[in-house]
Short mmCIF file of all heavy atoms in Angstrom, two decimals:
data_model
loop_
_atom_site.label_atom_id
_atom_site.label_comp_id
_atom_site.label_asym_id
_atom_site.label_seq_id
_atom_site.Cartn_x
_atom_site.Cartn_y
_atom_site.Cartn_z
N MET A 32 161.96 35.12 -126.18
CA MET A 32 162.72 34.77 -124.97
C MET A 32 163.37 33.41 -125.13
O MET A 32 162.81 32.53 -125.77
CB MET A 32 161.79 34.80 -123.75
CG MET A 32 162.52 34.44 -122.45
SD MET A 32 161.45 34.62 -121.01
CE MET A 32 161.49 36.38 -120.77
N HIS A 33 164.51 33.28 -124.54
CA HIS A 33 165.23 32.01 -124.64
C HIS A 33 164.56 30.93 -123.78
O HIS A 33 164.11 31.19 -122.69
CB HIS A 33 166.68 32.21 -124.16
CG HIS A 33 167.64 31.39 -124.92
ND1 HIS A 33 167.91 30.08 -124.61
CD2 HIS A 33 168.40 31.65 -126.01
CE1 HIS A 33 168.79 29.60 -125.45
NE2 HIS A 33 169.10 30.52 -126.32
N PHE A 34 164.50 29.71 -124.33
CA PHE A 34 163.74 28.65 -123.69
C PHE A 34 164.35 28.21 -122.36
O PHE A 34 163.64 27.86 -121.43
CB PHE A 34 163.65 27.45 -124.63
CG PHE A 34 162.57 26.48 -124.24
CD1 PHE A 34 161.24 26.87 -124.25
CD2 PHE A 34 162.89 25.19 -123.85
CE1 PHE A 34 160.25 25.98 -123.88
CE2 PHE A 34 161.91 24.31 -123.47
CZ PHE A 34 160.58 24.70 -123.49
N GLY A 35 165.67 28.24 -122.25
CA GLY A 35 166.35 27.74 -121.08
C GLY A 35 166.01 28.47 -119.79
O GLY A 35 166.20 27.92 -118.71
N VAL A 36 165.49 29.69 -119.89
CA VAL A 36 165.22 30.45 -118.68
C VAL A 36 164.11 29.83 -117.84
O VAL A 36 164.00 30.12 -116.66
CB VAL A 36 164.86 31.92 -118.99
CG1 VAL A 36 166.01 32.61 -119.70
CG2 VAL A 36 163.60 32.01 -119.82
N MET A 37 163.27 28.99 -118.43
CA MET A 37 162.22 28.32 -117.68
C MET A 37 162.80 27.55 -116.49
O MET A 37 162.21 27.43 -115.45
CB MET A 37 161.45 27.36 -118.56
CG MET A 37 160.66 28.04 -119.67
SD MET A 37 159.41 29.18 -119.02
CE MET A 37 158.28 27.99 -118.27
N LYS A 38 163.99 27.03 -116.69
CA LYS A 38 164.65 26.26 -115.64
C LYS A 38 165.00 27.13 -114.44
O LYS A 38 165.19 26.63 -113.35
CB LYS A 38 165.93 25.65 -116.24
CG LYS A 38 166.56 24.56 -115.42
CD LYS A 38 167.79 24.04 -116.14
CE LYS A 38 168.54 23.04 -115.29
NZ LYS A 38 167.77 21.82 -115.05
N LEU A 39 165.07 28.44 -114.63
CA LEU A 39 165.45 29.35 -113.55
C LEU A 39 164.24 29.84 -112.75
O LEU A 39 164.37 30.72 -111.91
CB LEU A 39 166.21 30.54 -114.13
CG LEU A 39 167.45 30.21 -114.93
CD1 LEU A 39 168.10 31.48 -115.44
CD2 LEU A 39 168.44 29.40 -114.13
N ASP A 40 163.09 29.28 -113.01
CA ASP A 40 161.86 29.76 -112.37
C ASP A 40 161.68 29.12 -111.00
O ASP A 40 160.85 28.25 -110.78
CB ASP A 40 160.67 29.43 -113.28
CG ASP A 40 159.40 30.07 -112.76
OD1 ASP A 40 159.49 31.05 -111.99
OD2 ASP A 40 158.32 29.59 -113.11
N PHE A 41 162.52 29.52 -110.06
CA PHE A 41 162.40 29.03 -108.68
C PHE A 41 162.51 30.20 -107.72
O PHE A 41 162.88 31.30 -108.11
CB PHE A 41 163.45 27.96 -108.39
CG PHE A 41 164.85 28.38 -108.74
CD1 PHE A 41 165.58 29.18 -107.89
CD2 PHE A 41 165.42 27.97 -109.95
CE1 PHE A 41 166.87 29.56 -108.22
CE2 PHE A 41 166.70 28.35 -110.28
CZ PHE A 41 167.43 29.16 -109.42
N ASN A 42 162.21 29.94 -106.46
CA ASN A 42 162.19 31.02 -105.47
C ASN A 42 163.58 31.60 -105.22
O ASN A 42 164.58 30.92 -105.36
CB ASN A 42 161.63 30.50 -104.15
CG ASN A 42 160.15 30.12 -104.28
OD1 ASN A 42 159.62 30.07 -105.38
ND2 ASN A 42 159.53 29.81 -103.17
N CYS A 43 163.58 32.85 -104.80
CA CYS A 43 164.82 33.55 -104.45
C CYS A 43 165.57 32.79 -103.35
O CYS A 43 164.98 32.34 -102.37
CB CYS A 43 164.49 34.96 -103.97
SG CYS A 43 165.92 35.86 -103.34
N LEU A 44 166.87 32.64 -103.54
CA LEU A 44 167.68 31.91 -102.57
C LEU A 44 167.81 32.68 -101.25
O LEU A 44 168.04 32.10 -100.20
CB LEU A 44 169.08 31.64 -103.14
CG LEU A 44 169.15 30.68 -104.33
CD1 LEU A 44 170.58 30.55 -104.79
CD2 LEU A 44 168.58 29.33 -103.96
N ARG A 45 167.67 33.99 -101.31
CA ARG A 45 167.88 34.79 -100.12
C ARG A 45 166.58 35.00 -99.33
O ARG A 45 166.54 34.77 -98.13
CB ARG A 45 168.48 36.14 -100.49
CG ARG A 45 168.72 37.04 -99.30
CD ARG A 45 169.13 38.42 -99.72
NE ARG A 45 170.55 38.53 -99.99
CZ ARG A 45 171.13 39.62 -100.47
NH1 ARG A 45 170.38 40.67 -100.78
NH2 ARG A 45 172.41 39.66 -100.68
N CYS A 46 165.51 35.43 -100.02
CA CYS A 46 164.29 35.79 -99.29
C CYS A 46 163.10 34.88 -99.61
O CYS A 46 162.06 34.97 -99.00
CB CYS A 46 163.91 37.25 -99.57
SG CYS A 46 163.21 37.54 -101.21
N GLY A 47 163.25 33.97 -100.60
CA GLY A 47 162.18 33.02 -100.90
C GLY A 47 161.08 33.58 -101.79
O GLY A 47 160.09 32.89 -102.07
N SER A 48 161.23 34.82 -102.26
CA SER A 48 160.21 35.43 -103.08
C SER A 48 160.16 34.79 -104.48
O SER A 48 161.16 34.33 -105.01
CB SER A 48 160.48 36.92 -103.23
OG SER A 48 159.65 37.48 -104.22
N LYS A 49 158.95 34.74 -105.05
CA LYS A 49 158.81 34.24 -106.42
C LYS A 49 158.86 35.37 -107.45
O LYS A 49 158.84 35.12 -108.64
CB LYS A 49 157.47 33.50 -106.58
CG LYS A 49 157.48 32.12 -105.97
CD LYS A 49 156.28 31.32 -106.44
CE LYS A 49 156.45 29.87 -105.98
NZ LYS A 49 155.80 28.93 -106.86
N ASN A 50 158.87 36.61 -106.97
CA ASN A 50 158.88 37.74 -107.88
C ASN A 50 160.30 38.00 -108.39
O ASN A 50 161.17 38.38 -107.62
CB ASN A 50 158.36 39.00 -107.18
CG ASN A 50 156.93 38.82 -106.72
OD1 ASN A 50 156.11 38.26 -107.44
ND2 ASN A 50 156.63 39.30 -105.53
N HIS A 51 160.49 37.76 -109.67
CA HIS A 51 161.82 38.01 -110.22
C HIS A 51 161.69 38.30 -111.70
O HIS A 51 160.65 38.05 -112.32
CB HIS A 51 162.73 36.79 -110.01
CG HIS A 51 162.26 35.57 -110.76
ND1 HIS A 51 161.45 34.63 -110.20
CD2 HIS A 51 162.48 35.17 -112.04
CE1 HIS A 51 161.19 33.68 -111.08
NE2 HIS A 51 161.80 33.98 -112.21
N GLU A 52 162.74 38.85 -112.27
CA GLU A 52 162.79 39.02 -113.71
C GLU A 52 164.08 38.42 -114.23
O GLU A 52 165.08 38.35 -113.52
CB GLU A 52 162.68 40.50 -114.10
CG GLU A 52 163.80 41.38 -113.61
CD GLU A 52 163.63 42.81 -114.10
OE1 GLU A 52 162.89 43.00 -115.08
OE2 GLU A 52 164.24 43.70 -113.51
N ILE A 53 164.03 37.96 -115.47
CA ILE A 53 165.19 37.38 -116.13
C ILE A 53 165.64 38.31 -117.23
O ILE A 53 164.83 38.77 -118.03
CB ILE A 53 164.84 36.01 -116.77
CG1 ILE A 53 164.26 35.05 -115.71
CG2 ILE A 53 166.07 35.40 -117.43
CD1 ILE A 53 165.27 34.57 -114.70
N LYS A 54 166.92 38.62 -117.22
CA LYS A 54 167.49 39.44 -118.30
C LYS A 54 168.56 38.65 -119.01
O LYS A 54 169.33 37.92 -118.37
CB LYS A 54 168.08 40.73 -117.73
CG LYS A 54 167.05 41.72 -117.27
CD LYS A 54 167.72 42.98 -116.76
CE LYS A 54 166.72 43.90 -116.11
NZ LYS A 54 166.30 45.01 -116.92
N ASN A 55 168.59 38.77 -120.30
CA ASN A 55 169.67 38.18 -121.09
C ASN A 55 170.78 39.19 -121.25
O ASN A 55 170.53 40.32 -121.61
CB ASN A 55 169.17 37.80 -122.49
CG ASN A 55 168.15 36.69 -122.44
OD1 ASN A 55 167.83 36.14 -121.39
ND2 ASN A 55 167.62 36.33 -123.59
N ILE A 56 172.01 38.78 -120.96
CA ILE A 56 173.14 39.67 -121.19
C ILE A 56 174.23 38.92 -121.94
O ILE A 56 174.35 37.70 -121.82
CB ILE A 56 173.71 40.26 -119.88
CG1 ILE A 56 174.16 39.14 -118.95
CG2 ILE A 56 172.70 41.16 -119.21
CD1 ILE A 56 174.99 39.67 -117.80
N TYR A 57 174.99 39.66 -122.70
CA TYR A 57 176.12 39.06 -123.43
C TYR A 57 177.42 39.60 -122.86
O TYR A 57 177.59 40.80 -122.74
CB TYR A 57 176.01 39.42 -124.92
CG TYR A 57 174.85 38.73 -125.60
CD1 TYR A 57 173.59 39.32 -125.65
CD2 TYR A 57 175.02 37.48 -126.18
CE1 TYR A 57 172.53 38.67 -126.26
CE2 TYR A 57 173.97 36.82 -126.78
CZ TYR A 57 172.72 37.43 -126.82
OH TYR A 57 171.68 36.78 -127.41
N LEU A 58 178.28 38.67 -122.46
CA LEU A 58 179.55 39.06 -121.89
C LEU A 58 180.69 38.43 -122.67
O LEU A 58 180.55 37.31 -123.16
CB LEU A 58 179.64 38.58 -120.43
CG LEU A 58 178.69 39.24 -119.43
CD1 LEU A 58 178.86 38.61 -118.07
CD2 LEU A 58 178.94 40.73 -119.35
N PRO A 59 181.81 39.12 -122.76
CA PRO A 59 182.98 38.54 -123.41
C PRO A 59 183.53 37.40 -122.56
O PRO A 59 183.53 37.47 -121.33
CB PRO A 59 183.96 39.70 -123.50
CG PRO A 59 183.52 40.65 -122.45
CD PRO A 59 182.04 40.48 -122.30
N GLU A 60 183.98 36.34 -123.19
CA GLU A 60 184.58 35.22 -122.44
C GLU A 60 185.74 34.64 -123.25
O GLU A 60 185.76 34.68 -124.47
CB GLU A 60 183.55 34.15 -122.14
CG GLU A 60 182.92 33.56 -123.38
CD GLU A 60 181.82 32.55 -123.01
OE1 GLU A 60 181.34 32.57 -121.88
OE2 GLU A 60 181.46 31.77 -123.90
N LYS A 61 186.70 34.10 -122.53
CA LYS A 61 187.85 33.48 -123.19
C LYS A 61 187.46 32.12 -123.75
O LYS A 61 186.68 31.39 -123.15
CB LYS A 61 189.01 33.31 -122.20
CG LYS A 61 189.89 34.51 -122.11
CD LYS A 61 191.08 34.22 -121.22
CE LYS A 61 191.91 35.47 -121.00
NZ LYS A 61 192.95 35.25 -119.97
N LYS A 62 188.04 31.78 -124.86
CA LYS A 62 187.72 30.50 -125.49
C LYS A 62 188.96 29.62 -125.49
O LYS A 62 189.96 29.94 -126.11
CB LYS A 62 187.24 30.75 -126.92
CG LYS A 62 186.50 29.59 -127.52
CD LYS A 62 185.89 29.98 -128.86
CE LYS A 62 184.98 28.88 -129.38
NZ LYS A 62 184.38 29.25 -130.67
N ASP A 63 188.91 28.50 -124.75
CA ASP A 63 189.97 27.50 -124.72
C ASP A 63 191.33 28.11 -124.36
O ASP A 63 192.34 27.68 -124.88
CB ASP A 63 190.06 26.76 -126.07
CG ASP A 63 188.76 26.07 -126.41
OD1 ASP A 63 188.08 25.63 -125.47
OD2 ASP A 63 188.44 26.00 -127.59
N GLY A 64 191.33 29.10 -123.51
CA GLY A 64 192.57 29.68 -123.07
C GLY A 64 193.27 30.54 -124.10
O GLY A 64 194.31 31.11 -123.82
N ILE A 65 192.70 30.63 -125.28
CA ILE A 65 193.27 31.48 -126.32
C ILE A 65 192.85 32.93 -126.04
O ILE A 65 191.79 33.18 -125.48
CB ILE A 65 192.78 31.04 -127.71
CG1 ILE A 65 193.06 29.55 -127.91
CG2 ILE A 65 193.44 31.87 -128.81
CD1 ILE A 65 192.41 28.95 -129.13
N LEU A 66 193.68 33.84 -126.43
CA LEU A 66 193.42 35.24 -126.12
C LEU A 66 192.24 35.81 -126.89
O LEU A 66 191.67 36.80 -126.50
CB LEU A 66 194.67 36.07 -126.41
CG LEU A 66 195.76 35.95 -125.33
CD1 LEU A 66 196.98 36.75 -125.74
CD2 LEU A 66 195.25 36.44 -123.99
N LYS A 67 191.88 35.16 -127.96
CA LYS A 67 190.72 35.62 -128.74
C LYS A 67 189.46 35.60 -127.87
O LYS A 67 189.12 34.58 -127.29
CB LYS A 67 190.54 34.70 -129.95
CG LYS A 67 189.32 35.00 -130.78
CD LYS A 67 189.07 33.86 -131.76
CE LYS A 67 187.68 33.94 -132.35
NZ LYS A 67 187.27 32.65 -132.93
N MET A 68 188.81 36.72 -127.79
CA MET A 68 187.64 36.81 -126.94
C MET A 68 186.38 36.44 -127.71
O MET A 68 186.18 36.83 -128.86
CB MET A 68 187.49 38.23 -126.39
CG MET A 68 188.66 38.66 -125.54
SD MET A 68 188.81 37.68 -124.02
CE MET A 68 187.79 38.65 -122.92
N ASP A 69 185.53 35.68 -127.05
CA ASP A 69 184.24 35.33 -127.65
C ASP A 69 183.14 35.95 -126.77
O ASP A 69 183.39 36.40 -125.68
CB ASP A 69 184.12 33.81 -127.67
CG ASP A 69 183.15 33.36 -128.74
OD1 ASP A 69 182.48 34.25 -129.34
OD2 ASP A 69 183.04 32.16 -128.98
N VAL A 70 181.94 35.94 -127.28
CA VAL A 70 180.83 36.51 -126.52
C VAL A 70 179.87 35.38 -126.14
O VAL A 70 179.47 34.59 -126.98
CB VAL A 70 180.07 37.58 -127.34
CG1 VAL A 70 178.86 38.09 -126.57
CG2 VAL A 70 181.01 38.73 -127.67
N GLY A 71 179.55 35.29 -124.85
CA GLY A 71 178.65 34.26 -124.37
C GLY A 71 177.37 34.85 -123.81
O GLY A 71 177.38 35.97 -123.28
N LEU A 72 176.29 34.09 -123.92
CA LEU A 72 175.00 34.52 -123.38
C LEU A 72 174.87 34.08 -121.93
O LEU A 72 175.15 32.93 -121.60
CB LEU A 72 173.87 33.94 -124.22
CG LEU A 72 172.45 34.18 -123.69
CD1 LEU A 72 172.10 35.66 -123.68
CD2 LEU A 72 171.43 33.41 -124.54
N TYR A 73 174.43 35.02 -121.09
CA TYR A 73 174.19 34.72 -119.69
C TYR A 73 172.79 35.18 -119.30
O TYR A 73 172.24 36.10 -119.90
CB TYR A 73 175.20 35.42 -118.79
CG TYR A 73 176.61 34.86 -118.94
CD1 TYR A 73 177.42 35.28 -119.98
CD2 TYR A 73 177.09 33.92 -118.05
CE1 TYR A 73 178.70 34.75 -120.14
CE2 TYR A 73 178.37 33.39 -118.19
CZ TYR A 73 179.16 33.82 -119.23
OH TYR A 73 180.40 33.30 -119.38
N TYR A 74 172.22 34.54 -118.31
CA TYR A 74 170.93 34.96 -117.76
C TYR A 74 171.17 35.60 -116.40
O TYR A 74 171.85 35.05 -115.56
CB TYR A 74 169.99 33.78 -117.56
CG TYR A 74 169.71 33.00 -118.81
CD1 TYR A 74 169.84 31.61 -118.81
CD2 TYR A 74 169.29 33.62 -119.97
CE1 TYR A 74 169.59 30.87 -119.95
CE2 TYR A 74 169.03 32.89 -121.11
CZ TYR A 74 169.18 31.52 -121.10
OH TYR A 74 168.92 30.79 -122.22
N LEU A 75 170.58 36.76 -116.19
CA LEU A 75 170.55 37.37 -114.87
C LEU A 75 169.18 37.13 -114.28
O LEU A 75 168.17 37.46 -114.88
CB LEU A 75 170.80 38.88 -114.94
CG LEU A 75 172.23 39.36 -115.15
CD1 LEU A 75 172.26 40.87 -115.11
CD2 LEU A 75 173.17 38.79 -114.11
N LYS A 76 169.13 36.53 -113.09
CA LYS A 76 167.86 36.36 -112.39
C LYS A 76 167.86 37.33 -111.23
O LYS A 76 168.65 37.23 -110.30
CB LYS A 76 167.74 34.92 -111.87
CG LYS A 76 166.48 34.66 -111.07
CD LYS A 76 166.36 33.18 -110.76
CE LYS A 76 165.17 32.90 -109.85
NZ LYS A 76 165.45 33.23 -108.45
N ILE A 77 166.98 38.33 -111.30
CA ILE A 77 166.97 39.42 -110.33
C ILE A 77 165.70 39.35 -109.49
O ILE A 77 164.59 39.39 -110.03
CB ILE A 77 167.03 40.78 -111.05
CG1 ILE A 77 168.25 40.83 -111.97
CG2 ILE A 77 167.05 41.92 -110.05
CD1 ILE A 77 168.16 41.91 -113.02
N CYS A 78 165.86 39.22 -108.18
CA CYS A 78 164.71 39.21 -107.27
C CYS A 78 164.14 40.62 -107.19
O CYS A 78 164.86 41.59 -106.97
CB CYS A 78 165.14 38.73 -105.90
SG CYS A 78 163.80 38.79 -104.69
N LEU A 79 162.81 40.74 -107.37
CA LEU A 79 162.19 42.06 -107.35
C LEU A 79 161.87 42.53 -105.93
O LEU A 79 161.44 43.65 -105.72
CB LEU A 79 160.90 42.04 -108.19
CG LEU A 79 161.11 41.75 -109.68
CD1 LEU A 79 159.78 41.72 -110.41
CD2 LEU A 79 162.02 42.80 -110.32
N ASP A 80 162.05 41.66 -104.95
CA ASP A 80 161.76 42.03 -103.56
C ASP A 80 163.01 42.45 -102.81
O ASP A 80 162.98 43.41 -102.05
CB ASP A 80 161.07 40.87 -102.84
CG ASP A 80 159.62 40.72 -103.27
OD1 ASP A 80 159.00 41.76 -103.61
OD2 ASP A 80 159.11 39.60 -103.31
N CYS A 81 164.11 41.70 -102.98
CA CYS A 81 165.31 42.04 -102.21
C CYS A 81 166.49 42.45 -103.11
O CYS A 81 167.51 42.87 -102.62
CB CYS A 81 165.72 40.89 -101.30
SG CYS A 81 166.46 39.49 -102.13
N GLY A 82 166.34 42.27 -104.41
CA GLY A 82 167.39 42.71 -105.31
C GLY A 82 168.51 41.70 -105.51
O GLY A 82 169.47 41.96 -106.23
N TYR A 83 168.38 40.54 -104.89
CA TYR A 83 169.40 39.51 -105.03
C TYR A 83 169.51 39.07 -106.48
O TYR A 83 168.50 38.79 -107.13
CB TYR A 83 169.02 38.31 -104.14
CG TYR A 83 170.06 37.21 -104.11
CD1 TYR A 83 171.29 37.40 -103.49
CD2 TYR A 83 169.80 35.98 -104.71
CE1 TYR A 83 172.23 36.40 -103.45
CE2 TYR A 83 170.73 34.96 -104.67
CZ TYR A 83 171.95 35.18 -104.05
OH TYR A 83 172.88 34.17 -104.02
N THR A 84 170.71 39.06 -107.01
CA THR A 84 170.92 38.77 -108.43
C THR A 84 171.84 37.56 -108.60
O THR A 84 172.89 37.48 -107.99
CB THR A 84 171.55 39.98 -109.14
OG1 THR A 84 170.70 41.11 -108.96
CG2 THR A 84 171.71 39.70 -110.63
N GLU A 85 171.39 36.63 -109.43
CA GLU A 85 172.21 35.47 -109.75
C GLU A 85 172.51 35.48 -111.24
O GLU A 85 171.68 35.93 -112.03
CB GLU A 85 171.48 34.18 -109.39
CG GLU A 85 171.16 34.04 -107.93
CD GLU A 85 170.08 32.99 -107.74
OE1 GLU A 85 170.43 31.81 -107.75
OE2 GLU A 85 168.92 33.36 -107.62
N MET A 86 173.66 34.96 -111.60
CA MET A 86 174.01 34.91 -113.01
C MET A 86 174.27 33.47 -113.44
O MET A 86 174.94 32.71 -112.73
CB MET A 86 175.26 35.75 -113.27
CG MET A 86 175.55 35.90 -114.74
SD MET A 86 176.81 37.16 -115.07
CE MET A 86 178.29 36.29 -114.62
N TYR A 87 173.71 33.09 -114.56
CA TYR A 87 173.86 31.73 -115.07
C TYR A 87 174.38 31.77 -116.49
O TYR A 87 173.96 32.61 -117.29
CB TYR A 87 172.52 30.99 -115.06
CG TYR A 87 171.91 30.86 -113.69
CD1 TYR A 87 171.13 31.88 -113.18
CD2 TYR A 87 172.13 29.73 -112.92
CE1 TYR A 87 170.56 31.78 -111.91
CE2 TYR A 87 171.57 29.61 -111.66
CZ TYR A 87 170.79 30.64 -111.17
OH TYR A 87 170.25 30.53 -109.93
N SER A 88 175.24 30.82 -116.81
CA SER A 88 175.68 30.67 -118.19
C SER A 88 174.60 29.98 -119.00
O SER A 88 174.12 28.91 -118.63
CB SER A 88 176.96 29.85 -118.25
OG SER A 88 177.23 29.46 -119.58
N ALA A 89 174.19 30.59 -120.10
CA ALA A 89 173.13 30.01 -120.93
C ALA A 89 173.55 28.66 -121.50
O ALA A 89 172.72 27.77 -121.66
CB ALA A 89 172.77 30.97 -122.05
N LYS A 90 174.82 28.50 -121.77
CA LYS A 90 175.31 27.23 -122.29
C LYS A 90 174.97 26.09 -121.35
O LYS A 90 174.49 25.05 -121.74
CB LYS A 90 176.83 27.27 -122.47
CG LYS A 90 177.31 28.03 -123.67
CD LYS A 90 178.83 27.98 -123.71
CE LYS A 90 179.40 29.14 -124.51
NZ LYS A 90 180.84 29.29 -124.23
N VAL A 91 175.26 26.29 -120.06
CA VAL A 91 175.04 25.24 -119.06
C VAL A 91 173.56 25.01 -118.85
O VAL A 91 173.08 23.87 -118.83
CB VAL A 91 175.72 25.64 -117.73
CG1 VAL A 91 175.45 24.58 -116.67
CG2 VAL A 91 177.20 25.82 -117.94
N VAL A 92 172.80 26.08 -118.71
CA VAL A 92 171.37 25.96 -118.47
C VAL A 92 170.69 25.23 -119.62
O VAL A 92 169.90 24.32 -119.42
CB VAL A 92 170.72 27.35 -118.28
CG1 VAL A 92 169.21 27.22 -118.22
CG2 VAL A 92 171.24 28.01 -117.02
N ASP A 93 171.03 25.61 -120.84
CA ASP A 93 170.39 25.01 -122.01
C ASP A 93 170.82 23.56 -122.20
O ASP A 93 170.06 22.73 -122.67
CB ASP A 93 170.71 25.82 -123.26
CG ASP A 93 170.06 27.20 -123.20
OD1 ASP A 93 169.14 27.37 -122.38
OD2 ASP A 93 170.48 28.08 -123.96
N LYS A 94 172.07 23.26 -121.83
CA LYS A 94 172.54 21.89 -121.95
C LYS A 94 171.75 20.98 -121.01
O LYS A 94 171.31 19.91 -121.38
CB LYS A 94 174.04 21.84 -121.64
CG LYS A 94 174.68 20.50 -122.00
CD LYS A 94 176.19 20.60 -122.08
CE LYS A 94 176.81 21.03 -120.78
NZ LYS A 94 178.27 21.12 -120.85
N ASN A 95 171.56 21.44 -119.77
CA ASN A 95 170.78 20.67 -118.81
C ASN A 95 169.34 20.49 -119.28
O ASN A 95 168.73 19.45 -119.07
CB ASN A 95 170.78 21.36 -117.44
CG ASN A 95 172.17 21.32 -116.80
OD1 ASN A 95 173.00 20.52 -117.20
ND2 ASN A 95 172.39 22.18 -115.82
N GLU A 96 168.81 21.53 -119.90
CA GLU A 96 167.44 21.48 -120.39
C GLU A 96 167.27 20.37 -121.42
O GLU A 96 166.30 19.64 -121.42
CB GLU A 96 167.09 22.84 -121.03
CG GLU A 96 165.61 23.06 -121.24
CD GLU A 96 164.92 23.40 -119.92
OE1 GLU A 96 165.56 23.93 -119.01
OE2 GLU A 96 163.73 23.09 -119.81
N LYS A 97 168.25 20.23 -122.30
CA LYS A 97 168.18 19.20 -123.34
C LYS A 97 168.20 17.80 -122.72
O LYS A 97 167.49 16.92 -123.15
CB LYS A 97 169.35 19.36 -124.30
CG LYS A 97 169.12 20.43 -125.35
CD LYS A 97 170.35 20.65 -126.19
CE LYS A 97 170.24 21.96 -126.96
NZ LYS A 97 171.55 22.45 -127.37
N ILE A 98 169.04 17.63 -121.70
CA ILE A 98 169.11 16.33 -121.04
C ILE A 98 167.76 15.95 -120.46
O ILE A 98 167.29 14.83 -120.60
CB ILE A 98 170.19 16.35 -119.92
CG1 ILE A 98 171.58 16.46 -120.58
CG2 ILE A 98 170.10 15.11 -119.06
CD1 ILE A 98 172.68 16.80 -119.60
N ILE A 99 167.10 16.91 -119.86
CA ILE A 99 165.77 16.67 -119.24
C ILE A 99 164.77 16.21 -120.30
O ILE A 99 163.99 15.30 -120.08
CB ILE A 99 165.25 17.95 -118.54
CG1 ILE A 99 166.07 18.19 -117.26
CG2 ILE A 99 163.78 17.82 -118.19
CD1 ILE A 99 165.86 19.54 -116.64
N PHE A 100 164.83 16.84 -121.47
CA PHE A 100 163.83 16.53 -122.48
C PHE A 100 164.11 15.26 -123.27
O PHE A 100 163.37 14.89 -124.15
CB PHE A 100 163.68 17.71 -123.45
CG PHE A 100 162.83 18.80 -122.88
CD1 PHE A 100 163.39 20.00 -122.49
CD2 PHE A 100 161.46 18.62 -122.70
CE1 PHE A 100 162.62 21.01 -121.93
CE2 PHE A 100 160.68 19.61 -122.15
CZ PHE A 100 161.25 20.81 -121.77
N GLU A 101 165.21 14.59 -122.94
CA GLU A 101 165.46 13.30 -123.59
C GLU A 101 164.59 12.19 -123.00
O GLU A 101 164.48 11.14 -123.57
CB GLU A 101 166.95 12.93 -123.46
CG GLU A 101 167.80 13.61 -124.51
CD GLU A 101 169.28 13.34 -124.29
OE1 GLU A 101 169.62 12.52 -123.42
OE2 GLU A 101 170.10 13.96 -124.99
N TYR A 102 163.99 12.42 -121.85
CA TYR A 102 163.17 11.39 -121.23
C TYR A 102 161.88 11.17 -122.00
O TYR A 102 161.32 12.09 -122.52
CB TYR A 102 162.84 11.77 -119.78
CG TYR A 102 164.04 11.65 -118.86
CD1 TYR A 102 164.65 12.79 -118.37
CD2 TYR A 102 164.56 10.41 -118.54
CE1 TYR A 102 165.75 12.69 -117.55
CE2 TYR A 102 165.67 10.32 -117.70
CZ TYR A 102 166.25 11.46 -117.21
OH TYR A 102 167.35 11.37 -116.41
ZN1 LIG B 305 164.81 37.92 -102.82
#
């Protein structure tokens, strides 16, 4: 499992439940406005109680994680 997902371990924004699962998905994304498509890693955080789903870019989550560990 990717390390950055630990940062997503918080309560559901809609119902406050702690029951959730994290899925890794790969989606095509544009790179620097060029038409060449690249594939980026995203995390889906799915609430198991109400089904509320959030999507996070792994790049951003992992970048923040590194900043935290510089302390
Ligand atoms: Zn929920």
Side-chain angles (χ1 to χ4, degrees):
M32 180 175 282
H33 214 276
F34 196 64
V36 298
M37 294 299 292
K38 195 180 174 65
L39 303 180
D40 188 22
F41 51 81
N42 294 10
C43 174
L44 293 179
R45 180 188 276 174
C46 74
S48 170
K49 283 194 171 209
N50 299 319
H51 65 267
E52 63 178 340
I53 304 289
K54 288 182 189 258
N55 293 357
I56 58 168
Y57 291 90
L58 293 177
E60 60 184 18
K61 272 186 186 171
K62 197 172 188 179
D63 300 328
I65 307 170
L66 283 177
K67 175 192 165 198
M68 298 296 270
D69 204 352
V70 176
L72 173 64
Y73 291 82
Y74 303 129
L75 283 184
K76 177 173 175 281
I77 305 162
C78 176
L79 296 179
D80 285 329
C81 74
Y83 184 69
T84 302
E85 298 162 81
M86 189 168 77
Y87 299 86
S88 167
K90 283 180 203 164
V91 177
V92 172
D93 293 343
K94 191 163 61 180
N95 291 342
E96 196 76 26
K97 279 174 195 158
I98 291 168
I99 288 168
F100 280 109
E101 278 174 7
Y102 288 108

